mmCIF file of all heavy atoms in Angstrom:
data_model
loop_
_atom_site.group_PDB
_atom_site.id
_atom_site.type_symbol
_atom_site.label_atom_id
_atom_site.label_comp_id
_atom_site.label_asym_id
_atom_site.label_seq_id
_atom_site.Cartn_x
_atom_site.Cartn_y
_atom_site.Cartn_z
ATOM 1 N N SER A 1045 42.695 266.959 17.074
ATOM 2 C CA SER A 1045 42.808 268.057 16.202
ATOM 3 C C SER A 1045 41.613 268.850 16.210
ATOM 4 O O SER A 1045 40.462 268.499 16.735
ATOM 5 C CB SER A 1045 43.011 267.438 14.782
ATOM 6 O OG SER A 1045 41.805 266.834 14.283
ATOM 7 N N ASP A 1046 41.610 270.066 15.557
ATOM 8 C CA ASP A 1046 40.433 270.850 15.356
ATOM 9 C C ASP A 1046 39.543 270.147 14.406
ATOM 10 O O ASP A 1046 39.994 269.256 13.657
ATOM 11 C CB ASP A 1046 40.762 272.200 14.824
ATOM 12 C CG ASP A 1046 41.473 273.166 15.709
ATOM 13 O OD1 ASP A 1046 41.294 272.890 16.993
ATOM 14 O OD2 ASP A 1046 42.271 274.001 15.264
ATOM 15 N N LYS A 1047 38.210 270.379 14.307
ATOM 16 C CA LYS A 1047 37.356 269.786 13.436
ATOM 17 C C LYS A 1047 37.729 270.200 11.981
ATOM 18 O O LYS A 1047 38.144 271.349 11.852
ATOM 19 C CB LYS A 1047 35.943 270.071 13.716
ATOM 20 C CG LYS A 1047 35.265 269.317 14.919
ATOM 21 C CD LYS A 1047 33.912 269.668 15.193
ATOM 22 C CE LYS A 1047 33.360 268.881 16.309
ATOM 23 N NZ LYS A 1047 31.984 269.230 16.571
ATOM 24 N N SER A 1048 37.482 269.218 11.094
ATOM 25 C CA SER A 1048 37.812 269.483 9.640
ATOM 26 C C SER A 1048 36.760 270.484 9.154
ATOM 27 O O SER A 1048 35.719 270.830 9.840
ATOM 28 C CB SER A 1048 37.671 268.212 8.891
ATOM 29 O OG SER A 1048 36.267 267.763 8.842
ATOM 30 N N PRO A 1049 37.003 271.056 8.026
ATOM 31 C CA PRO A 1049 35.946 271.965 7.337
ATOM 32 C C PRO A 1049 34.598 271.031 7.101
ATOM 33 O O PRO A 1049 34.806 269.830 6.990
ATOM 34 C CB PRO A 1049 36.532 272.351 5.986
ATOM 35 C CG PRO A 1049 38.007 272.229 6.185
ATOM 36 C CD PRO A 1049 38.202 271.009 7.180
ATOM 37 N N VAL A 1050 33.582 271.782 7.099
ATOM 38 C CA VAL A 1050 32.320 271.002 6.896
ATOM 39 C C VAL A 1050 32.177 270.422 5.429
ATOM 40 O O VAL A 1050 32.731 271.148 4.509
ATOM 41 C CB VAL A 1050 31.004 271.991 7.185
ATOM 42 C CG1 VAL A 1050 29.784 271.291 6.801
ATOM 43 C CG2 VAL A 1050 31.018 272.479 8.527
ATOM 44 N N LEU A 1051 31.727 269.224 5.328
ATOM 45 C CA LEU A 1051 31.510 268.552 4.052
ATOM 46 C C LEU A 1051 30.753 269.467 3.238
ATOM 47 O O LEU A 1051 29.691 270.130 3.605
ATOM 48 C CB LEU A 1051 30.786 267.309 4.226
ATOM 49 C CG LEU A 1051 30.479 266.507 3.030
ATOM 50 C CD1 LEU A 1051 31.496 265.722 2.454
ATOM 51 C CD2 LEU A 1051 29.339 265.412 3.441
ATOM 52 N N ALA A 1052 31.119 269.777 1.885
ATOM 53 C CA ALA A 1052 30.411 270.548 1.048
ATOM 54 C C ALA A 1052 30.133 269.793 -0.138
ATOM 55 O O ALA A 1052 31.013 269.119 -0.693
ATOM 56 C CB ALA A 1052 31.211 271.789 0.775
ATOM 57 N N PRO A 1053 28.878 269.857 -0.749
ATOM 58 C CA PRO A 1053 27.758 270.480 -0.167
ATOM 59 C C PRO A 1053 27.260 269.762 1.131
ATOM 60 O O PRO A 1053 27.678 268.636 1.320
ATOM 61 C CB PRO A 1053 26.685 270.449 -1.249
ATOM 62 C CG PRO A 1053 27.070 269.191 -2.046
ATOM 63 C CD PRO A 1053 28.571 269.003 -1.929
ATOM 64 N N GLN A 1054 26.450 270.447 1.914
ATOM 65 C CA GLN A 1054 25.851 269.925 3.086
ATOM 66 C C GLN A 1054 25.174 268.667 2.709
ATOM 67 O O GLN A 1054 24.614 268.430 1.683
ATOM 68 C CB GLN A 1054 24.922 270.846 3.781
ATOM 69 C CG GLN A 1054 25.531 271.872 4.566
ATOM 70 C CD GLN A 1054 24.502 272.739 5.340
ATOM 71 O OE1 GLN A 1054 23.581 273.198 4.658
ATOM 72 N NE2 GLN A 1054 24.655 272.976 6.603
ATOM 73 N N LEU A 1055 25.107 267.706 3.775
ATOM 74 C CA LEU A 1055 24.372 266.439 3.525
ATOM 75 C C LEU A 1055 22.846 266.796 3.708
ATOM 76 O O LEU A 1055 22.442 267.623 4.708
ATOM 77 C CB LEU A 1055 24.758 265.490 4.729
ATOM 78 C CG LEU A 1055 23.754 264.254 4.765
ATOM 79 C CD1 LEU A 1055 23.881 263.424 3.470
ATOM 80 C CD2 LEU A 1055 24.151 263.438 5.970
ATOM 81 N N GLU A 1056 21.972 266.431 2.768
ATOM 82 C CA GLU A 1056 20.587 266.634 2.965
ATOM 83 C C GLU A 1056 19.844 265.324 2.967
ATOM 84 O O GLU A 1056 20.081 264.549 2.034
ATOM 85 C CB GLU A 1056 20.076 267.588 1.789
ATOM 86 C CG GLU A 1056 18.469 267.759 1.881
ATOM 87 C CD GLU A 1056 18.023 268.741 0.886
ATOM 88 O OE1 GLU A 1056 18.692 269.099 -0.049
ATOM 89 O OE2 GLU A 1056 16.743 269.139 1.004
ATOM 90 N N ILE A 1057 19.002 265.129 3.943
ATOM 91 C CA ILE A 1057 18.177 263.871 3.903
ATOM 92 C C ILE A 1057 16.772 264.427 3.625
ATOM 93 O O ILE A 1057 16.252 265.279 4.225
ATOM 94 C CB ILE A 1057 18.180 263.197 5.355
ATOM 95 C CG1 ILE A 1057 19.595 262.761 5.762
ATOM 96 C CG2 ILE A 1057 17.173 262.034 5.363
ATOM 97 C CD1 ILE A 1057 20.247 261.739 4.877
ATOM 98 N N ASN A 1058 16.159 263.787 2.549
ATOM 99 C CA ASN A 1058 14.820 264.202 2.104
ATOM 100 C C ASN A 1058 14.106 262.903 1.758
ATOM 101 O O ASN A 1058 14.353 262.368 0.702
ATOM 102 C CB ASN A 1058 14.856 265.157 1.007
ATOM 103 C CG ASN A 1058 13.531 265.714 0.524
ATOM 104 O OD1 ASN A 1058 12.474 265.156 1.042
ATOM 105 N ND2 ASN A 1058 13.479 266.623 -0.328
ATOM 106 N N THR A 1059 13.186 262.452 2.647
ATOM 107 C CA THR A 1059 12.515 261.174 2.334
ATOM 108 C C THR A 1059 11.293 261.416 1.671
ATOM 109 O O THR A 1059 10.373 260.404 1.368
ATOM 110 C CB THR A 1059 12.362 260.426 3.637
ATOM 111 O OG1 THR A 1059 11.598 261.161 4.602
ATOM 112 C CG2 THR A 1059 13.627 259.948 4.333
ATOM 113 N N ILE A 1060 10.814 262.657 1.367
ATOM 114 C CA ILE A 1060 9.591 262.904 0.728
ATOM 115 C C ILE A 1060 9.819 262.824 -0.867
ATOM 116 O O ILE A 1060 10.715 263.491 -1.356
ATOM 117 C CB ILE A 1060 9.056 264.339 1.077
ATOM 118 C CG1 ILE A 1060 8.763 264.418 2.569
ATOM 119 C CG2 ILE A 1060 7.797 264.652 0.232
ATOM 120 C CD1 ILE A 1060 8.526 265.823 3.071
ATOM 121 N N ILE A 1061 9.044 262.049 -1.465
ATOM 122 C CA ILE A 1061 9.280 261.701 -2.904
ATOM 123 C C ILE A 1061 8.240 262.616 -3.650
ATOM 124 O O ILE A 1061 7.052 262.433 -3.411
ATOM 125 C CB ILE A 1061 9.064 260.306 -3.250
ATOM 126 C CG1 ILE A 1061 10.135 259.506 -2.523
ATOM 127 C CG2 ILE A 1061 9.150 260.086 -4.746
ATOM 128 C CD1 ILE A 1061 9.846 257.978 -2.641
ATOM 129 N N ASN A 1062 8.692 263.495 -4.462
ATOM 130 C CA ASN A 1062 7.844 264.367 -5.397
ATOM 131 C C ASN A 1062 7.503 263.516 -6.690
ATOM 132 O O ASN A 1062 8.406 263.140 -7.337
ATOM 133 C CB ASN A 1062 8.507 265.621 -5.690
ATOM 134 C CG ASN A 1062 8.688 266.534 -4.427
ATOM 135 O OD1 ASN A 1062 7.887 266.528 -3.500
ATOM 136 N ND2 ASN A 1062 9.849 267.075 -4.316
#
Side-chain angles (χ1 to χ4, degrees):
S1045 70
D1046 291 335
K1047 286 186 178 176
S1048 68
V1050 173
L1051 175 75
Q1054 279 183 309
L1055 171 65
E1056 180 177 10
I1057 303 294
N1058 183 350
T1059 58
I1060 299 171
I1061 300 173
N1062 295 321

